[in-house]
Amino acid sequence: MADLQTVEIDAQYRQLREECGLVDRPERGKLVVSGPEAAAYLQGQLTNDVEALGPGDGVYAALLDRKGHMQGDMRVLRPHSSVPYASQTGKRNSQAELWIDTEPEALEAVRRHLGMYKIGRQVEVADVTQERAILSLIGPRAAEIAGSPPLPENVCEEVAVGGARCLAVGTTGGIDLILAAAERDRAWEALLAAGAAEVSPEAVEIVRIEAGRPRFGSEMGTETMPAEAGIVERAVSFTKGCYIGQETVARLHYKGKPNRHLRALRLSAPAQGGEPVSLDGKELGTLGGAAVSPAFGPIALAILRREAEPGTTVAVGEDGVTAQVVALPFG
C-alpha cells in the first residue's frame, strides 16, 4: 500500500511540475469586504497597501496584533467588477468590493477582528466560505487550461470555465479560480476535460515546501512575526501609513534582527510536523510542513532560532533523525 501511494504521489508530482494539476480548496476561509470605506478600513488593519489597489490588482497581507504577532495571513483582491460570488443575497453591489481568502486556521480571528473594528464605518464584512469555491491549477499549463493569460501573482481577471463565471487569480505556481460553489462541479469537469489532472493535497504540499512558502497553521502561527517567517517583502508596506502592529514591524526591519528565521531542512529520514528541532540539546523550534519529495527526499520547513544557520546539522525528534539546514528554496 505504501509503495502504491508513493507511486501515485510521484505521478501527481510530475503532473504538477510538467503539466497541470487540479486541487480543490474548500477549507480556505472566504470573506467579502464592501462599502464606500472598505479599502480605507482594511488599510488601517492589514500590513500591505490595500488603498493602492486598482481594478484587477491584489496583494498578500497579514493581520497582526499590537505586538506585531500574526493573527492570520490572506490574499486581498480588487476585481474589475462586483464579484459574482460576493453578495450573500446575489444582488449586485455598486460599492467597492474587496475579496479576502485566508487559511482555515486564521478565518475565525480575521472574521471576528474585521467585524468588531468596523463599527461606525460604512463597511460590511460577509463570510462567504460555504457559498464560494476555490480551485487551484498548478503547473506550466495552468493558464492555458484556465483559458486565462499568464497572470502575475495576485493579479486577477474574469474568465469563463465550462460556462461558469470565475475570477482567475495569478499564483506563484499557476492560476486559482474563484467561483460560486454551485458552479464548482461544472468548472471542475471542464478543467479535467481541458487536460488538468486531479492531484492530492499531499502532492501540492510537497511543491509548497520545495518553494519555501510558509503557511499559517503550519510554519506560521500566532507567535510568529512577519520577519521571522520571511514574508516582509511580500506582505508589508513601509510607506502606506499606520496599521495595527506597525511599530514593532518597522523597528525590527530597520533596527533589529529577528531571533528566529524560516529555514529549509533536508532530513536523514521522514519526520512529522510538530517534532522538536534541537542543536546540542537546546530546542530551536519545531517542524512545520514535512514531506518526502521525489526530487530531494525527506524535507521540511521550520521557523528556528538564529543558531540554525544554513550548513548546520540539527536533531529532529527523539528517534535519531538529523537534518541539514539549507538555503531556501530547495534546489
Side-chain angles (χ1 to χ4, degrees):
M1 176 66 76
D3 289 343
L4 177 59
Q5 185 179 31
T6 299
V7 170
E8 291 174 349
I9 292 292
D10 285 359
Q12 293 173 15
Y13 177 86
R14 288 196 302 274
Q15 185 73 23
L16 291 164
R17 288 304 189 194
E18 299 172 8
E19 295 287 335
C20 179
L22 172 63
V23 64
D24 198 353
R25 307 284 198 181
E27 75 285 355
R28 285 193 68 80
K30 308 169 188 76
L31 303 172
V32 171
V33 182
S34 61
E37 295 183 296
Y41 173 55
L42 292 180
Q43 185 81 342
Q45 307 302 313
L46 307 180
T47 57
N48 219 332
D49 194 347
V50 177
E51 283 192 307
L53 296 178
D57 290 340
V59 290
Y60 174 62
L63 174 68
L64 309 179
D65 66 15
R66 298 195 179 278
K67 294 183 178 181
H69 295 114
M70 295 178 64
Q71 304 304 294
D73 67 342
M74 67 205 70
R75 174 169 53 186
V76 184
L77 305 175
R78 183 184 174 192
H80 283 278
S81 61
S82 179
V83 191
Y85 18 82
S87 172
Q88 290 179 306
T89 64
K91 296 178 181 178
R92 302 291 289 188
N93 190 336
S94 61
Q95 303 291 356
E97 289 184 345
L98 293 161
W99 169 273
I100 290 174
D101 62 275
T102 189
E103 296 292 346
E105 294 88 347
L107 174 60
E108 179 56 32
V110 173
R111 178 177 58 197
R112 183 175 62 249
H113 178 101
L114 294 182
M116 180 184 305
Y117 288 95
K118 74 180 183 66
I119 295 173
R121 298 173 179 267
Q122 296 183 66
V123 175
E124 296 297 328
V125 179
D127 184 346
V128 296
T129 299
Q130 301 304 316
E131 303 165 44
R132 314 307 169 201
I134 299 177
L135 304 179
S136 291
L137 292 162
I138 304 168
R141 294 187 61 207
E144 171 198 341
I145 288 173
S148 164
L151 297 172
E153 187 173 12
N154 299 320
V155 170
C156 58
E157 71 170 45
E158 290 189 19
V159 298
V161 178
R165 187 177 171 211
C166 305
L167 189 69
V169 188
T171 68
T172 55
I175 297 285
D176 278 359
L177 297 172
I178 302 172
L179 67 161
E183 302 283 359
R184 181 261 184 211
D185 290 350
R186 188 200 313 190
W188 181 272
E189 293 303 323
L191 294 169
L192 294 178
E198 181 177 357
V199 295
S200 65
E202 291 78 12
V204 175
E205 179 75 345
I206 295 171
V207 173
R208 180 188 76 84
I209 294 170
E210 288 182 354
R213 283 291 180 109
R215 186 179 77 79
F216 193 88
S218 183
E219 295 77 35
M220 301 185 292
T222 56
E223 297 302 315
T224 307
M225 294 183 177
E228 296 173 333
I231 64 170
V232 169
E233 184 175 344
R234 292 192 292 132
V236 177
S237 168
F238 290 100
T239 60
K240 78 182 191 76
C242 296
Y243 58 87
I244 295 172
Q246 177 196 27
E247 183 178 348
T248 301
V249 170
R251 183 170 62 247
L252 189 59
H253 180 70
Y254 290 113
K255 297 183 178 180
K257 295 181 180 179
N259 289 323
R260 303 189 301 161
H261 301 268
L262 179 69
R263 298 301 191 200
L265 302 174
R266 299 192 72 161
L267 306 168
S268 63
Q272 298 296 317
E275 293 197 48
V277 178
S278 61
L279 178 64
D280 297 330
K282 179 182 179 180
E283 187 168 321
L284 305 181
T286 58
L287 285 190
V292 178
S293 161
F296 303 107
I299 57 174
L301 295 176
I303 293 178
L304 303 175
R305 287 188 56 83
R306 63 174 63 178
E307 293 93 326
E309 293 286 349
T312 304
T313 298
V314 295
V316 178
E318 300 177 353
D319 297 325
V321 177
T322 61
Q324 184 180 27
V325 183
V326 298
L328 285 166
F330 290 92

